Each structure stands twice: as C-alpha cells, then as structure tokens.
Amino acid sequence: MENCIFCKILNKEIPSKFVYEDEFCFAINDINPKAKKHILVIPKVHVKSLNEVKDLTLMTHLFEAIRKINLQENIVDFKTLINTGRGAGQEVDHLHIHILAD
C-alpha cells in the first residue's frame, strides 16, 4: 500500500529496528508506548484490518509470532490488542497486534 507507514517500514523506506521478523510478519516497538513494553506485530502482507482477513492461517501465524516474541523478550504477563476501525482506535490502516506488558 502506497501511503502505509507499516509497508514503508517493511520496505526500508522508513528506518526502524525490528524486534522480530520471519517470512510472514515483523515486530517493532511502538513509538508511542502505552506500557513498559509495547510491541506491534505486523503482517508483511497488507491487510487493512481484522475485518478483511480472509485466510485464518495468517492469524495463526501472528499468534505464534507473539508466543516467540514473548519468549525472546522474557514477557510472561501481557495483554494483546487488535483495534479494528477508526472508532475503535485503529490509527494505521494495516492490521497489527499490540503486545502490552509492564
């Protein structure tokens, strides 16, 4: 997607340090954290929101990535959050999952 900040990060148009990466997704620290650890898990394929997910294997992979990230970052107690739509707080029109941990 042309103006998507997450696509620009993935394409190295905007510099960012990846916390995690595999063939299906990547993870970065949120630039406006709402917890001590606030990581965004982002699919590499552009999907606008949870409402547009057609292949549930994508979600399975994202949740597996969350498990791996939590092990890597020594996160035991955490929240996950998926905002869907502007009214629900989705600021970037690219599906992503928040990991929040104190």
Side-chain angles (χ1 to χ4, degrees), residues 30 32-40 66 70 75-83 97-102:
D30 194 300
N32 188 19
K34 306 292 187 235
K36 285 183 185 174
K37 288 221 180 221
H38 187 167
I39 298 169
L40 304 177
I66 289 169
N70 287 340
I75 298 172
V76 177
D77 298 321
F78 63 97
K79 295 178 188 177
T80 56
L81 175 67
I82 303 173
N83 296 316
I97 302 174
H98 299 257
I99 301 171
L100 299 130
D102 286 321

Side-chain angles (χ1 to χ4, degrees), residues 18-83:
F18 288 5
V19 173
Y20 174 85
E21 182 178 18
D22 64 29
E23 63 183 294
F24 300 103
C25 68
F26 65 100
I28 56 175
N29 288 306
D30 194 300
I31 60 169
N32 188 19
K34 306 292 187 235
K36 285 183 185 174
K37 288 221 180 221
H38 187 167
I39 298 169
L40 304 177
V41 182
I42 306 161
K44 289 184 173 180
V45 60
H46 184 89
V47 177
K48 183 177 178 181
S49 73
L50 190 58
N51 286 335
E52 295 190 6
V53 173
K54 293 182 180 29
D55 181 1
L56 293 181
T57 58
L58 172 64
M59 297 307 297
T60 300
H61 188 81
L62 293 176
F63 282 109
E64 179 62 19
I66 289 169
R67 188 188 67 76
K68 290 176 182 177
I69 292 163
N70 287 340
L71 286 171
Q72 171 187 300
E73 299 294 315
N74 297 313
I75 298 172
V76 177
D77 298 321
F78 63 97
K79 295 178 188 177
T80 56
L81 175 67
I82 303 173
N83 296 316

